[in-house]
């Protein structure tokens, strides 16, 4: 193959080791080989640049996907947490009526043993609510706050009553983690 390349460089079909113009043939052959090498290098550099570009695109895509997944996990965690809290709040709201009925039963109980039994159940009920993070709002004597109370009636002030305070509570209010489950239904002094 070298002889053929030399022949091509020399343009003499019978160019070989005994060529009269060997030096010229060798220079042309070197130039030809050098040019071919430069073409190969150029081609390889082009392929390398394309491969690097593709690798950079894959890397950027991977970073975006990883960031999207992290964001998804955060959103999903927050959604799951909110769903749990909302579900817990809904379940607690449904049992608040039981506490109201226990208070009514205590108010109407005549026998001492019955009162004691109801008081024990109410104590356990309140402890359970407290353990769940529920805060009871029983605002008798406090200033009326529309963020915590629902005024169902107003009454005229009596001796020593301060205007705008809660006189009586119809239904206690409850909150869970700062969110109102039920507003206290109250009678307010005019």
């Amino acid at each position: 193959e070298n002889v053929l390349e030399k022949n091509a460089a020399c343009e003499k079909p019978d160019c070989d080791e005994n060529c009269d113009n060997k030096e010229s043939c060798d220079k042309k052959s070197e130039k030809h080989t050098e040019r071919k090498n430069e073409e190969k290098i150029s081609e390889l550099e082009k392929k390398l640049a394309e491969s690097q570009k593709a690798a950079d695109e894959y890397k950027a895509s991977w970073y975006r996907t990883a960031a999207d997944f992290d964001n998804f996990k955060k959103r999903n965690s927050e959604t799951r947490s909110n769903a749990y809290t909302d579900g817990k709040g809904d379940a607690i709201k449904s049992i608040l009526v039981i506490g109201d009925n226990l208070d009514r039963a205590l108010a109407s109980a005549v026998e001492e043993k019955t009162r004691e039994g109801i008081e024990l159940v109410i104590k356990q009920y309140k402890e359970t609510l407290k353990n769940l993070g529920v805060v009871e709002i029983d605002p008798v004597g406090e200033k009326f706050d529309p963020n915590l109370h629902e005024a169902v009636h107003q009454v005229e002030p009596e001796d020593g009553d301060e205007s705008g305070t809660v006189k009586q509570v119809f239904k206690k209010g409850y909150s869970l983690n700062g969110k109102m489950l039920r507003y206290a239904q109250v009678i307010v002094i005019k």
Side-chain angles (χ1 to χ4, degrees):
E1 185 178 33
N2 259 347
V3 172
L4 290 177
E5 284 180 9
K6 288 180 185 177
N7 287 345
C10 185
E11 298 177 4
K12 291 184 182 175
D14 56 343
C15 186
D16 60 8
E17 296 293 325
N18 300 324
C19 180
D20 300 336
N21 201 3
K22 182 161 175 50
E23 198 174 302
S24 175
C25 285
D26 287 344
K27 284 182 186 179
K28 286 182 180 180
S29 176
E30 283 176 21
K31 284 182 184 179
H32 178 73
T33 304
E34 192 175 306
R35 188 171 33 115
K36 281 208 174 254
N37 287 342
E38 285 174 5
E39 287 174 3
K40 283 183 181 180
I41 289 172
S42 176
E43 184 180 321
L44 290 173
E45 285 175 343
K46 192 185 241 183
K47 285 182 179 181
L48 177 63
E50 289 172 2
S51 296
Q52 285 175 334
K53 183 179 178 184
D56 290 343
E57 288 173 3
Y58 289 132
K59 187 177 180 181
S61 174
W62 181 83
Y63 282 136
R64 281 191 301 275
T65 303
D68 287 346
F69 185 66
D70 283 345
N71 291 335
F72 168 77
K73 285 190 329 188
K74 289 174 187 173
R75 277 192 310 273
N76 196 27
S77 173
E78 186 177 321
T79 301
R80 188 175 49 245
S81 175
N82 289 342
Y84 175 78
T85 301
D86 290 346
K88 182 178 175 182
D90 290 344
I92 291 170
K93 280 183 198 177
S94 68
I95 65 169
L96 294 178
V97 176
I98 296 169
D100 295 338
N101 290 333
L102 287 171
D103 288 338
R104 285 188 203 101
L106 182 61
S108 65
V110 181
E111 295 180 19
E112 186 61 31
K113 291 283 184 188
T114 304
R115 286 185 70 75
E116 287 176 10
I118 294 172
E119 285 173 348
L120 286 173
V121 173
I122 289 173
K123 181 181 176 187
Q124 184 180 21
Y125 172 79
K126 288 183 177 183
E127 285 176 5
T128 301
L129 290 179
K130 184 180 176 184
N131 290 338
L132 291 171
V134 177
V135 176
E136 183 180 271
I137 301 168
D138 189 1
V140 173
E142 295 178 7
K143 277 288 204 192
F144 175 75
D145 181 355
N147 296 316
L148 302 174
H149 314 132
E150 178 184 342
V152 292
H153 191 65
Q154 286 187 332
V155 294
E156 295 296 326
E158 296 177 4
D159 290 338
D161 287 342
E162 187 180 330
S163 179
T165 58
V166 175
K167 177 81 172 175
Q168 184 181 348
V169 176
F170 278 130
K171 283 186 178 178
K172 295 176 185 172
Y174 296 91
S175 68
L176 174 65
N177 300 327
K179 182 180 177 184
M180 293 302 296
L181 294 175
R182 183 173 82 183
Y183 293 93
Q185 294 181 351
V186 297
I187 294 175
V188 182
I189 301 169
K190 287 184 182 180

